[in-house]
Amino acid sequence: MTPADQGLSLAAVRLSSVDLGLSHVLDEAELARASTFRSPALRDAFLAGRIALRLHISALTGDSPGSLEADYFCPTCRSGRGHGIPRYRLPSQSGLLRASLSRSGSWCLSAAALDRRSAGIGVDIENGSAADFDGFPSLVLTENERGQLQRVPPALKARFQTRLWVRKEAVLKALGTGLAKAPSLVDVSGSTPSGLPRTSEPALWSLEDISPASLGLPEDFAASIATWQPRDVLPD
Ligand SMILES: CC(C)(COP(=O)(O)OP(=O)(O)OC[C@H]1O[C@@H](n2cnc3c(N)ncnc32)[C@H](O)[C@@H]1OP(=O)(O)O)[C@@H](O)C(=O)NCCC(=O)NCCS
């Protein structure tokens, strides 16, 4: 199934193409967080990503970007305060719309879960050499993944590592923990992740690589999307 078949919408946007003059659509918490960045480039990337995500949801639902109420939640500190799992309340719909965002270099990828049964969604993008550093396999990979890496031709190893990395980040975002859960505990070599906490086991997971060309991202990027929904809401 494609992401669209699963009620998911994806959009890749060049951060520099986002009109920062639209920062007025962001809320106080978002603007307060933007003001904490010392680097103007990082601040602008933050603002552009948040604006792009609102514009994406707005284009899907017809709600104006400024009417979306951000309700982010961080399971680590048990608060929102503008960080953590992206969730939005919409004037046109009840409940919370779940979303995900990833920035890498001058690009961002946003995702929105239109299917309300979706309990978690995570996307991640990186350029192809992002995970090409000494120690990556021992720090980040499971034993099974390290075994797979050993069978990959040397010229393809960097790309293979980055592909596993974006899969892990997508899963950990969908789970809601981010890197508060050690990525080395989660195996992402298959179409469903394993090693997740017991509480999320009765869930149906999906994990897919996304072709960068299909989203207009540079060819050397790696991108992945993970989603899960409770089994008990699935039709028989
Ligand atoms: C989520 C995380 C893996 C992303 O890191 P990254 O690769 O540097 O950044 P990306 O651009 O790919 O993703 C950033 C986005 O991830 C999302 N995100 C952040 N925390 C998240 C979480 N717990 N669950 C799901 N998504 C999360 C947000 O949309 C964020 O965008 P924002 O900067 O506009 O808020 C990393 O930031 C992380 O592990 N955060 C949680 C760490 C934590 O628990 N901190 C405790 C704070 S009290």
Side-chain angles (χ1 to χ4, degrees), residues 203-215:
L204 187 72
W205 276 86
S206 157
L207 174 59
E208 287 177 47
D209 296 329
I210 307 166
S211 146
S214 70
L215 294 168

Side-chain angles (χ1 to χ4, degrees), residues 20-21 23 41 66 83 107 119 128 153 171 188:
L20 296 184
S23 295
H83 71 278
W107 287 88
V171 167
V188 294

Side-chain angles (χ1 to χ4, degrees), residues 18 34 55 70 73 76 95 111 180 188-189 192-193 233:
V18 178
L55 291 176
F73 177 72
T76 303
V188 294
S189 55
T192 53
V233 301

Side-chain angles (χ1 to χ4, degrees), residues 7-106:
L8 304 171
S9 174
L10 293 168
V13 171
R14 197 185 280 274
L15 289 165
S16 60
S17 74
V18 178
D19 178 5
L20 296 184
L22 291 175
S23 295
H24 61 85
V25 302
L26 302 180
D27 65 21
E28 275 181 27
E30 291 175 306
L31 296 174
R33 200 173 141 202
S35 71
T36 64
F37 287 93
R38 290 208 182 136
S39 151
L42 290 179
R43 180 201 59 216
D44 288 355
F46 171 78
L47 290 169
R50 287 294 182 99
I51 294 168
L53 182 53
R54 281 178 180 260
L55 291 176
H56 180 179
I57 297 170
S58 172
L60 290 171
T61 65
D63 296 296
S64 70
S67 71
L68 308 178
E69 189 189 328
D71 185 12
Y72 281 51
F73 177 72
C74 170
T76 303
C77 66
R78 313 294 304 169
S79 96
R81 289 203 296 268
H83 71 278
I85 305 169
R87 308 183 308 186
Y88 290 85
R89 291 185 198 285
L90 314 180
S92 65
Q93 299 175 22
S94 60
L96 287 164
L97 182 140
R98 289 174 189 268
S100 188
L101 182 72
S102 181
R103 304 176 187 83
S104 177
S106 53

Side-chain angles (χ1 to χ4, degrees), residues 138-210:
S138 56
L139 268 177
V140 171
L141 302 187
T142 63
E143 195 181 335
N144 173 49
E145 290 163 346
R146 286 197 293 273
Q148 291 195 2
L149 178 64
Q150 280 175 353
R151 295 190 288 278
V152 172
L156 302 179
K157 277 191 195 295
R159 200 160 175 78
F160 185 77
Q161 289 186 179
T162 302
R163 191 162 69 84
L164 288 177
W165 178 245
V166 295
R167 289 166 76 89
K168 283 185 193 253
E169 284 219 41
V171 167
L172 294 174
K173 285 178 183 177
L175 192 60
T177 60
L179 296 174
K181 180 169 174 71
S184 58
L185 299 178
V186 180
D187 193 295
V188 294
S189 55
S191 58
T192 53
S194 60
L196 298 171
R198 188 175 289 274
T199 50
S200 62
E201 273 179 9
L204 187 72
W205 276 86
S206 157
L207 174 59
E208 287 177 47
D209 296 329
I210 307 166

